[in-house]
Amino acid sequence: MKYAFLYVASVVLVNLAFAVIGPLTLPGGYVWSPVALVVGFTFVIRDYVQRAIGHWVLPAMLVGGMISWAMAGQDIALASMAAFLAGELLDWAVYTFTRKPFSQRVLISSAVGTPIDSCVFMYLLGMFSVPGVLLMTASKMVGAVAVFYLTRRRELAAQQA
């Protein structure tokens, strides 16, 4: 249950961060939020939650969304809930049905889920642009790549032992 609590807390904290830390306007008028750097870890935490409690991760996602609605404001919460629902459900499906080692499921499921999450979130907040989505997706993948690297090393070490 500690991972489920951590997941719900991360969903709420990310939404609060989006509400407090506004997006940056980049050269060319594109928009990017530095909060995207920590959203990728939320996707990975979800993978740990699913490994621990299975499909009960879906109600945990909804709880995080409902708390965010009350705390982060309706615009951010609505965009976030829709983005999490679309992106995390794809992430969940890939993680669930891919029979690869944990490290690879983390990386593949994040690679599928984060672009959808970014598109939906930015579109609903009226900030959609292809460069902005690419930058937000790449930012989110930082967490997934870091966890992939660390868990893959552990998996390989366990195989050699």
Side-chain angles (χ1 to χ4, degrees):
M1 288 305 287
K2 69 179 178 181
Y3 286 123
F5 176 77
L6 180 62
Y7 177 64
V8 170
S10 73
V11 169
V12 173
L13 290 174
V14 162
N15 288 329
L16 287 173
F18 272 117
V20 172
I21 302 169
L24 303 175
T25 303
L26 304 174
Y30 303 116
V31 177
W32 173 76
S33 175
V35 177
L37 291 167
V38 294
V39 174
F41 288 106
T42 301
F43 273 79
V44 174
I45 292 168
R46 194 219 43 80
D47 293 336
Y48 279 93
V49 173
Q50 185 170 343
R51 193 165 78 164
I53 63 172
H55 299 303
W56 286 101
V57 70
L58 297 174
M61 180 189 345
L62 292 174
V63 168
M66 288 187 286
I67 294 170
S68 295
W69 183 272
M71 295 180 70
Q74 290 182 355
D75 291 345
I76 296 282
L78 178 62
S80 176
M81 285 171 48
F84 267 122
L85 189 60
E88 290 274 0
L89 284 176
L90 278 172
D91 180 87
W92 169 83
V94 170
Y95 179 89
T96 298
F97 299 113
T98 302
R99 299 292 175 214
K100 303 233 180 243
F102 179 73
S103 63
Q104 291 177 24
R105 286 188 288 164
V106 165
L107 189 62
I108 294 166
S109 65
S110 291
V112 170
T114 58
I116 300 303
D117 179 272
S118 298
C119 285
V120 171
F121 185 76
M122 293 183 75
Y123 177 78
L124 289 176
L125 289 178
M127 303 184 314
F128 183 85
S129 70
V130 172
V133 166
L134 292 174
L135 187 55
M136 187 172 266
T137 299
S139 300
K140 292 174 185 176
M141 286 301 297
V142 168
V145 170
V147 172
F148 165 77
Y149 178 74
L150 294 172
T151 56
R152 186 69 182 148
R153 282 184 38 194
R154 283 190 209 131
E155 290 168 353
L156 292 173
Q159 287 175 356
Q160 293 175 354

